[in-house]
Amino acid sequence: SCISSTKKAVKISQFTKTQKGVRMNDVLRKDFLRNYDNFMTATFVDNRTRKTVSFREVVRERIERLEKSVIDGRKYKPFILYS
């Protein structure tokens, strides 16, 4: 989970309502970002290429492929994580 490394439920008291919306408190935001970074840098074996990659690498590569598809006017084949 990207929210809490301790697997505890997020509490409403960890959020503050502002004029622009709702914000996480500093502790929760720091925990969330640490877990998000752990998730994005975790590696797995891509079924398509059989290479070990991170989610961050997949996102970067997919953005580049989408950009190339738009520029070249070709169809874009999305990355499918589970199949």
Side-chain angles (χ1 to χ4, degrees):
S1 168
C2 283
I3 294 292
S4 177
S5 62
T6 58
K7 307 284 185 196
K8 293 180 182 175
V10 176
K11 297 177 180 75
I12 193 79
S13 62
Q14 293 174 294
F15 296 88
T16 306
K17 189 173 182 180
T18 69
Q19 290 181 346
K20 293 183 179 181
V22 178
R23 294 185 55 97
M24 293 178 185
N25 71 19
D26 291 341
V27 173
L28 180 60
R29 185 172 45 256
K30 189 175 184 179
D31 199 32
F32 173 82
L33 291 173
R34 179 178 42 255
N35 285 295
Y36 176 79
D37 193 55
N38 287 342
F39 174 80
M40 291 300 289
T41 57
T43 58
F44 63 97
V45 176
D46 184 341
N47 289 335
R48 190 175 37 92
T49 64
R50 300 289 182 231
K51 291 182 181 178
T52 300
V53 294
S54 71
F55 286 104
R56 184 170 284 146
E57 292 167 332
V58 169
V59 169
R60 183 181 302 120
E61 187 246 348
R62 289 284 121 188
I63 289 169
E64 290 169 359
R65 283 183 180 222
L66 178 59
E67 179 183 45
K68 188 168 175 44
S69 294
V70 169
I71 290 169
D72 295 344
R74 295 186 306 180
K75 281 190 170 185
Y76 171 73
K77 185 177 178 184
F79 177 79
I80 299 173
L81 180 60
Y82 302 105
S83 62

